[in-house]
Amino acid sequence: MSVKELTISWFGGAASTFDLIILRTEFNTSVFYVRTQHFGRHEWKWTSAEPLECTSLSVRIRSRDGLATSEWSKINTFRGRDLPSINTLQMYPQDRVVEVGSNMTFCCIVEEGKTFKEMLYGNTIMNVTRLSRRSYATTLVNVEPTGVSGSNIVCRLKDLSLTGAVMFVGYPPLPSDFVCETQDLKSAECHWKEARDSHLTGERRRTRYSVNSRNCNVDSQLTCRLPLWDGNWTLMAENSLGHYSLSDSAELIHRVRPVAPVNLSSIANAWNATVIWQWTYESYFTLDLNCQVESTNHESKTLHVFSGVGLRSVKLSGLHPDQAYTVRVRCGDQKYFWKWGDWSQTFSFKTQTDVPDPPDVWMWMNKDRTGLVVWKQPLVLSKPVFTNNGFFLFWQQNATNTCNYLVEWLDTSCEHDCPVKWIRVAAGSTNVSIESGMPGMQAFTKGLFCPSDSPQLIKRWQGYTQELVPSRSVPLSVKSQDSKVVITWGEIPLSDRRGFVLGYNVYISNGSELALLANLSSSEMRRYVVKGLSVGNYKFTVKSYTSAGEDTGSTASITLEPFTDALILEMLGALGTITILLIIVTFICYKKRNWVKKAFYPDIPEPKLPGDWSRLQGPLDVRPSPHSMVHIVEKPERDFNKETLVVIPEEEEYFEKDEPVDTDEPMSLRYYNQVVDDRPIRPRFPGSSASSASSLDSGHTDVTYTGIQTSGSSLVFQPDPQGSSEEQPPEVVRYDGGYKPQMHPKVLSDDVVLKSSNPFQESEAASSVGYKPQCSWHLDSPTDTAETGSLAPSLGSPTSVASTQFLLPDGDGDEKNKQQPSSAAATWFSNLLLSSKP
Amino acid sequence: MADRRTRSMKSSNLSRTAVNRASMIALQLQGESSKLLELYRQKESFPADVTDGRLVSVPPPSSQLDTRDKLWRLHSALLQTQSLLERAITKEEEELGGGIKGEYENQRKTVKGRLSFLLLTTGNLLKAVDGAASLTPSLEGLELDGPTTLFQLKLWLLQVFSEVHHWSRAAVTTLQELLTNAADKQSSTTRVRSTRSARR
């Protein structure tokens, strides 16, 4: 480190005035001379222009008393670096940092035997002063700021060897704009600027900063972070040329600069979008914020401003459908606004597509028969005040309008080619009165903006000098919807309203009178639903009303039909219930099948037959039981007054007997026991066939039976066409086969009886010699058909023969079809029983 | 002799293309280091005739050196130069740097990168002639004990940049020589084969 200050002290005895002289030793040239007065300690500080290393200096002192002086003291030499013993090329001072505008002297000490050539400052050859034999000096006056690596002062010798020194010329620090703020609402972040470049580079020379004695690691940004909010801060800036301090103080809530919102997202609709973001710090949730959302669409930027506590989402309106938008957000404290926070990262979204509502169109006809069609969002229709002077219209002043207003009006009753009246109003006006002889009128106020040729609609009025009832009724329609009646109607055209429609009355026609159903006190409500009406014809009337009263009304009628759907539902429900009941009955029957079997289908006792009958195979001839004996009256016409049917008294007795009846019976029945068809059928009555045959020949004229157990085909009544007499042998009954079940679809009629002898019948009868279930029930005679009809079922008992089948009554021919389902059901039921038989 | 013979055999493994490629890189470095020197002189206002001493220490060049030795000498010098350059850049930034990235700083970065590339290339050449030869630069004598003042540091930087430029030129020269020798050897071999073929 070069030094330039020389401190000289001496002992001067009693003298107080001294002469002090400083000489360059080698050349003995005076550098400094001073006369000074000293008391007590004698000391003098002298600052050399050149570094003291440049050359040796000699100091001599003498005392003075007026004009009398003492001898010069011995030479006291301060040795420089140009001593012969130091034979190197040197330059002083080195690495000096000086303030701009200073004067600076450098010296170069050349080696012994070498020849000095020049000293350069940059590319400038400097004036040089020779201080000693080997030392040369040059002085830089009013130095300018140096560059990044400082300025070089080069000393060159004749042999091209060189040395030099680096000098930095700059400024002391001068910080400004020192402020501290917070982003996390807890710590402090202090910022400042440098008013000027110090021009001092390098680690050793650069300005160092500290805030509240905390060293700040400053790189490119002059920022210092403190972990806590101190409230008062002092910035100290210091470099080689000096130091500077600044202070700041503030409350935390006054210095909030929000961080940038993060994680932006959006919920985009067609005309608006909700932009959502998040905050890095939870402490922001309670912060009253003011946020700017900048949306960019096709390079057009729009700034939206929102506010709220802990704002994290905003709804952007005024967007357009199917458009791409880029947004970014920044916020500031709303209550104590300090600075806007950092902008967030940009976020892009696209609005959804939309089908726009039909625009509100307004047409303006110019004088030159050109039309101007204007459409915009609907303006609210205002009602002007009507006085004796006419309609009083007023509107809000538009600051941007510098031209006149135009008010025009026309008759509301006019539909086409309407005469329009107008008046021009000065730009600053906000009201006007217009006279109108029209009972109703519409008025429009338009601002004529100077830069624009087309007028802009500002306000619309509709008023009436005197309100009347509408001249036309509403278009009405009525329709049924489920069990309700929906009445809808349209608007009355403006030209026919003749007043402000206040609402609608809905009536139902009750004979010749109208009964009020509803009073709708809004002109916007044009729908009414009537509930609880039964089937029938109804008429509805809707009347609009103004302050002057109701119009004549529109009437529409409707006929309510039965609700077929409900009927179908009821039927389906009934069918479902029946099905469920059947399933339940079937289930119960199945579970109680043993009981059912006992109750309705008891086991048939097997006859015990003596002897060996096993070899007999074939149809079993069964002689009818006594109670089955039929006595047919051969000549009914003879005893019409007599009872034709006589109950044989033996019946009861016989019925109680288990033993079979003997063979002397007039007819025999053949049957196969279908239930036990696996087993060989053993005839109950051996030789009954013959007896049967003989019995067929036995005649009886009186019919007496207690039951029928014959099928129609097997029991044929053949009337005597000639009128039989008692003497005639009875040939009334002919059994052409055996017993046949009542399932046979035979209808007893005269024709059928006559045809019964045909081959088919005979063969069928011959083949059908087995037993069949008695599902059919045939009348005994055609004459009984008409009478008996429904009585037929009461005839006879099913116990005449052993059978595994029920004896189900059959109706007459007309009811045969109706019986078939029940027969089928019976067959199904019998099958069920059979299948359950062990 | 065996060693010598082995070396000679290996020297034939040198790819003319690789040598040529290394030569081109050296040529690029020569131009780039020349520009760096010029920029530095302008920046520091150093006279063009400022004497510069040598910092890199390698055996003196000799016509007796074979290909491998020439390559080894060149590679060793470049290694030392690279070490010097890296230290110079670090020291300059530390003592004189202002954080500015101007033309000089960019050129300095370019030269540093090119020098590393050339070193890689010459290292591969050396491996080609001497197997898995691996040179560790000797930084002896390269310690920066001299520059105690900023001016001395600046002079030292000048020397380092001059060394880079010097050894880039030397690399061009050496590699060109290798190319010439290879061409001569190939032509002589062709002649011998032609003669033998003619005798047959």
Side-chain angles (χ1 to χ4, degrees):
Chain A
M1 182 68 187
S2 298
V3 290
K4 297 174 74 175
E5 191 176 84
L6 187 64
T7 302
I8 305 158
S9 58
W10 65 94
F11 296 101
S16 60
T17 303
F18 301 92
D19 293 337
L20 186 149
I21 187 168
I22 298 174
L23 308 163
R24 292 191 181 106
T25 306
E26 269 193 30
F27 291 167
N28 201 29
T29 54
S30 171
V31 181
F32 178 72
Y33 177 86
V34 68
R35 182 176 293 174
T36 179
Q37 285 189 323
H38 284 269
F39 303 96
R41 187 183 176 196
H42 307 294
E43 186 179 276
W44 182 259
K45 286 187 177 181
W46 173 69
T47 300
S48 169
E50 305 91 21
L52 297 180
E53 296 92 337
C54 290
T55 186
S56 297
L57 296 172
S58 298
V59 180
R60 300 179 80 178
I61 300 172
R62 66 180 179 186
S63 60
R64 175 181 291 275
D65 185 7
L67 292 177
T69 59
S70 67
E71 292 293 322
W72 287 102
S73 66
K74 288 184 179 177
I75 295 174
N76 193 323
T77 302
F78 183 86
R79 294 183 177 180
R81 302 285 294 177
D82 56 346
L83 294 174
S85 59
I86 307 172
N87 190 17
T88 55
L89 181 61
Q90 302 162 67
M91 186 85 176
Y92 297 100
Q94 287 290 332
D95 306 339
R96 180 56 62 91
V97 179
V98 297
E99 200 166 347
V100 175
S102 305
N103 299 329
M104 192 70 191
T105 299
F106 290 87
C107 67
C108 174
I109 303 171
V110 301
E111 296 159 283
E112 285 287 352
K114 299 278 180 78
T115 307
F116 173 82
K117 181 183 178 186
E118 61 190 359
M119 289 182 76
L120 302 170
Y121 181 61
N123 295 319
T124 307
I125 299 173
M126 305 298 297
N127 295 324
V128 175
T129 303
R130 191 169 187 177
L131 303 180
S132 69
R133 188 172 52 85
R134 292 171 50 205
S135 182
Y136 300 86
T138 186
T139 299
L140 305 174
V141 180
N142 195 18
V143 289
E144 299 284 327
T146 52
V148 174
S149 59
S151 296
N152 301 326
I153 300 96
V154 177
C155 174
R156 301 190 72 195
L157 306 184
K158 293 285 187 184
D159 63 354
L160 299 181
S161 60
L162 59 84
T163 188
V166 177
M167 175 184 66
F168 288 89
V169 182
Y171 298 99
L174 185 62
S176 66
D177 301 337
F178 174 63
V179 289
C180 294
E181 60 194 19
T182 184
Q183 287 199 298
D184 60 0
L185 308 182
K186 189 171 77 175
S187 65
E189 186 177 297
C190 300
H191 307 270
W192 62 92
K193 295 177 182 174
E194 274 290 351
R196 63 186 176 200
D197 184 4
S198 69
H199 294 274
L200 305 181
T201 56
E203 281 293 317
R204 297 177 187 174
R205 289 167 296 278
R206 68 178 180 84
T207 304
R208 300 179 186 280
Y209 300 95
S210 64
V211 175
N212 289 358
S213 301
R214 288 171 179 269
N215 289 329
C216 303
N217 187 16
V218 175
D219 293 323
S220 58
Q221 290 188 334
L222 302 176
T223 302
C224 196
R225 297 180 187 278
L226 302 172
L228 293 175
W229 186 266
D230 295 329
N232 296 297
W233 305 272
T234 300
L235 170 69
M236 177 64 74
E238 190 172 8
N239 66 12
S240 305
L241 299 176
H243 58 82
Y244 199 94
S245 65
L246 283 174
S247 293
D248 184 37
S249 63
E251 290 183 41
L252 184 143
I253 57 169
H254 295 166
R255 293 288 178 85
V256 178
R257 183 172 68 88
V259 292
V262 295
N263 298 337
L264 264 67
S265 59
S266 70
I267 301 170
N269 300 316
W271 295 95
N272 55 56
T274 301
V275 178
I276 305 163
W277 63 83
Q278 294 178 359
W279 291 114
T280 310
Y281 305 108
E282 288 188 2
S283 51
Y284 277 48
F285 297 163
T286 56
L287 194 62
D288 201 357
L289 291 167
N290 205 20
C291 293
Q292 286 184 333
V293 181
E294 183 189 78
S295 64
T296 306
N297 171 238
H298 295 300
E299 299 182 355
S300 171
K301 291 186 177 181
T302 308
L303 200 63
H304 311 260
V305 181
F306 304 91
S307 59
V309 176
L311 207 59
R312 279 178 289 176
S313 68
V314 296
K315 189 171 185 178
L316 301 182
S317 55
L319 306 183
H320 295 282
D322 198 27
Q323 291 288 312
Y325 288 88
T326 300
V327 295
R328 58 176 187 166
V329 186
R330 68 175 181 179
C331 298
D333 191 302
Q334 189 185 16
K335 192 173 182 182
Y336 303 102
F337 183 81
W338 164 242
K339 287 178 183 174
W340 285 111
D342 298 326
W343 283 108
S344 68
Q345 297 278 333
T346 57
F347 174 76
S348 298
F349 63 87
K350 191 172 186 180
T351 51
Q352 295 182 350
T353 55
D354 187 39
V355 178
D357 294 329
D360 179 19
V361 180
W362 173 55
M363 193 172 74
W364 168 265
M365 186 69 76
N366 294 322
K367 290 179 180 176
D368 57 357
R369 289 196 168 273
T370 58
L372 176 67
V373 179
V374 183
W375 63 91
K376 61 184 297 182
Q377 294 298 318
L379 284 174
V380 176
L381 199 62
S382 303
K383 292 181 182 178
V385 179
F386 180 72
T387 63
N388 293 332
N389 297 326
F391 290 103
F392 180 72
L393 313 176
F394 63 95
W395 58 91
Q396 296 289 325
Q397 171 64 20
N398 192 328
T400 58
N401 186 19
T402 56
C403 287
N404 295 339
Y405 290 102
L406 182 68
V407 180
E408 65 176 31
W409 64 96
L410 48 85
D411 189 358
T412 54
S413 61
C414 177
E415 290 185 70
H416 305 290
D417 300 328
C418 303
V420 178
K421 295 184 177 181
W422 67 92
I423 185 173
R424 289 182 182 274
V425 185
S429 302
T430 59
N431 61 78
V432 68
S433 289
I434 57 172
E435 294 183 10
S436 174
M438 311 166 186
M441 74 93 202
Q442 272 188 303
F444 305 92
T445 294
K446 292 172 279 189
L448 294 172
F449 292 95
C450 290
S452 173
D453 293 327
S454 60
Q456 259 189 315
L457 185 61
I458 292 176
K459 198 168 182 179
R460 286 177 60 195
W461 288 272
Q462 182 183 331
Y464 298 91
T465 55
Q466 181 187 3
E467 288 196 61
L468 303 173
V469 296
S471 61
R472 185 187 291 186
S473 301
V474 294
L476 183 64
S477 70
V478 180
K479 63 179 179 180
S480 65
Q481 194 175 72
D482 298 335
S483 61
K484 301 175 290 187
V485 173
V486 181
I487 309 168
T488 56
W489 58 94
E491 275 189 310
I492 301 173
L494 179 63
S495 56
D496 297 319
R497 288 180 201 168
R498 303 198 301 178
F500 296 107
V501 175
L502 301 177
Y504 302 94
N505 287 329
V506 182
Y507 299 91
I508 185 167
S509 179
N510 186 9
S512 58
E513 296 181 353
L514 291 177
L516 181 64
L517 279 178
N519 170 244
L520 308 177
S521 58
S522 169
S523 60
E524 301 300 322
M525 295 176 66
R526 293 195 295 275
R527 184 175 184 270
Y528 186 73
V529 178
V530 185
K531 299 178 183 175
L533 294 176
S534 55
V535 175
N537 188 33
Y538 295 94
K539 284 184 179 178
F540 298 96
T541 302
V542 175
K543 296 181 178 180
S544 65
Y545 61 91
T546 66
S547 61
E550 289 182 327
D551 64 8
T552 55
S554 297
T555 301
S557 62
I558 189 170
T559 301
L560 290 181
E561 301 286 346
F563 186 42
T564 52
D565 292 347
L567 288 175
I568 292 170
L569 284 175
E570 286 178 8
M571 291 172 67
L572 288 174
L575 285 173
T577 306
I578 290 168
T579 305
I580 292 169
L581 281 173
L582 281 174
I583 291 170
I584 292 170
V585 168
T586 304
F587 181 74
I588 291 171
C589 289
Y590 180 76
K591 284 291 184 184
K592 301 290 182 182
R593 56 186 179 275
N594 291 332
W595 178 83
V596 172
K597 181 173 177 294
K598 286 178 183 176
F600 298 101
Y601 188 68
D603 287 337
I604 301 171
E606 285 190 5
K608 294 179 180 178
L609 299 175
D612 185 13
W613 298 87
S614 59
R615 60 184 175 84
L616 289 177
Q617 301 290 333
L620 175 64
D621 289 337
V622 180
R623 177 171 294 198
S625 59
H627 68 271
S628 299
M629 288 171 60
V630 178
H631 300 267
I632 303 174
V633 178
E634 193 65 31
K635 294 179 180 177
E637 69 279 7
R638 190 187 61 180
D639 295 318
F640 265 115
N641 298 326
K642 295 180 182 178
E643 294 180 0
T644 56
L645 297 177
V646 178
V647 177
I648 297 175
E650 295 85 359
E651 180 186 356
E652 294 298 327
E653 296 176 10
Y654 182 79
F655 193 73
E656 292 176 354
K657 294 177 182 177
D658 291 338
E659 292 297 322
V661 182
D662 206 348
T663 59
D664 294 330
E665 296 298 332
M667 36 181 150
S668 63
L669 300 176
R670 286 184 190 175
Y671 80 106
Y672 288 110
N673 190 334
Q674 295 178 343
V675 177
V676 288
D677 54 355
D678 295 335
R679 298 173 295 179
I681 301 172
R682 290 171 292 183
R684 294 182 181 182
F685 308 106
S688 62
S689 299
S691 61
S692 300
S694 62
S695 67
L696 288 172
D697 294 334
S698 64
H700 300 275
T701 54
D702 293 332
V703 177
T704 302
Y705 65 90
T706 57
I708 55 106
Q709 306 330 321
T710 56
S711 67
S713 61
S714 61
L715 219 171
V716 179
F717 173 66
Q718 288 183 326
D720 184 6
Q722 299 160 351
S724 10
S725 63
E726 292 183 2
E727 289 76 21
Q728 285 180 319
E731 295 179 355
V732 179
V733 177
R734 183 170 67 95
Y735 289 93
D736 56 349
Y739 173 80
K740 286 190 176 180
Q742 291 85 333
M743 283 295 290
H744 199 285
K746 183 80 176 180
V747 178
L748 266 179
S749 66
D750 292 346
D751 295 340
V752 172
V753 170
L754 291 174
K755 289 176 183 176
S756 64
S757 58
N758 67 40
F760 175 75
Q761 284 283 1
E762 287 182 354
S763 64
E764 182 186 16
S767 63
S768 58
V769 291
Y771 169 82
K772 288 186 179 178
Q774 297 89 332
C775 290
S776 63
W777 190 269
H778 299 280
L779 298 176
D780 293 272
S781 68
T783 54
D784 293 332
T785 302
E787 306 176 13
T788 56
S790 60
L791 294 175
S794 64
L795 298 174
S797 164
T799 59
S800 59
V801 293
S803 173
T804 59
Q805 304 292 337
F806 290 107
L807 300 179
L808 302 176
D810 195 2
D812 57 12
D814 296 334
E815 294 179 355
K816 187 175 68 176
N817 293 336
K818 293 181 181 178
Q819 291 293 334
Q820 283 176 346
S822 61
S823 299
T827 305
W828 169 82
F829 190 63
S830 65
N831 289 338
L832 173 69
L833 294 175
L834 287 171
S835 63
S836 63
K837 184 176 180 179
Chain B
M1 282 299 289
D3 186 38
R4 186 76 181 175
R5 198 161 48 243
T6 305
R7 285 180 191 171
S8 300
M9 286 172 65
K10 287 181 177 175
S11 67
S12 63
N13 294 335
L14 263 185
S15 163
R16 182 180 169 85
T17 308
V19 175
N20 190 45
R21 186 172 175 226
S23 174
M24 298 305 293
I25 296 169
L27 205 59
Q28 276 186 299
L29 179 61
Q30 183 183 334
E32 289 161 353
S33 60
S34 173
K35 188 178 181 183
L36 178 63
L37 258 181
E38 183 186 346
L39 287 172
Y40 187 69
R41 287 181 195 277
Q42 287 178 0
K43 173 174 168 281
E44 299 298 338
S45 303
F46 283 146
D49 54 358
V50 172
T51 56
D52 51 342
R54 296 269 72 85
L55 297 174
V56 171
S57 171
V58 287
S62 169
S63 58
Q64 300 300 316
L65 294 177
D66 64 3
T67 302
R68 177 194 172 279
D69 292 336
K70 286 178 182 173
L71 272 176
W72 186 90
R73 179 175 177 274
L74 173 65
H75 191 68
S76 175
L78 289 174
L79 274 173
Q80 294 178 58
T81 306
Q82 184 193 40
S83 176
L84 284 169
L85 180 63
E86 288 178 351
R87 288 171 55 201
I89 293 171
T90 305
K91 195 74 177 173
E92 186 179 21
E93 282 297 311
E94 185 180 311
E95 295 291 335
L96 302 165
I100 298 172
K101 301 296 178 189
E103 186 183 8
Y104 162 73
E105 285 80 9
N106 289 334
Q107 189 66 24
R108 193 176 61 185
K109 185 179 176 183
T110 302
V111 169
K112 181 185 172 186
R114 191 76 63 200
L115 178 58
S116 297
F117 194 27
L118 180 60
L119 258 174
L120 189 69
T121 311
T122 54
N124 289 335
L125 292 178
L126 202 56
K127 283 179 188 173
V129 297
D130 200 17
S134 173
L135 278 180
T136 303
S138 170
L139 302 178
E140 209 171 315
L142 297 178
E143 295 301 323
L144 193 63
D145 52 354
T148 55
T149 66
L150 288 177
F151 191 79
Q152 285 178 327
L153 174 64
K154 286 183 175 181
L155 281 181
W156 180 75
L157 289 171
L158 182 67
Q159 283 181 295
V160 170
F161 296 154
S162 297
E163 284 287 55
V164 174
H165 183 57
H166 171 80
W167 285 107
S168 65
R169 282 190 302 175
V172 171
T173 305
T174 303
L175 293 168
Q176 288 292 340
E177 283 178 8
L178 291 179
L179 279 174
T180 307
N181 292 343
D184 290 347
K185 187 174 285 183
Q186 191 174 8
S187 61
S188 65
T189 305
T190 309
R191 276 200 306 275
V192 168
R193 284 179 180 171
S194 303
T195 308
R196 286 178 180 171
S197 300
R199 286 176 182 173
R200 286 175 186 172

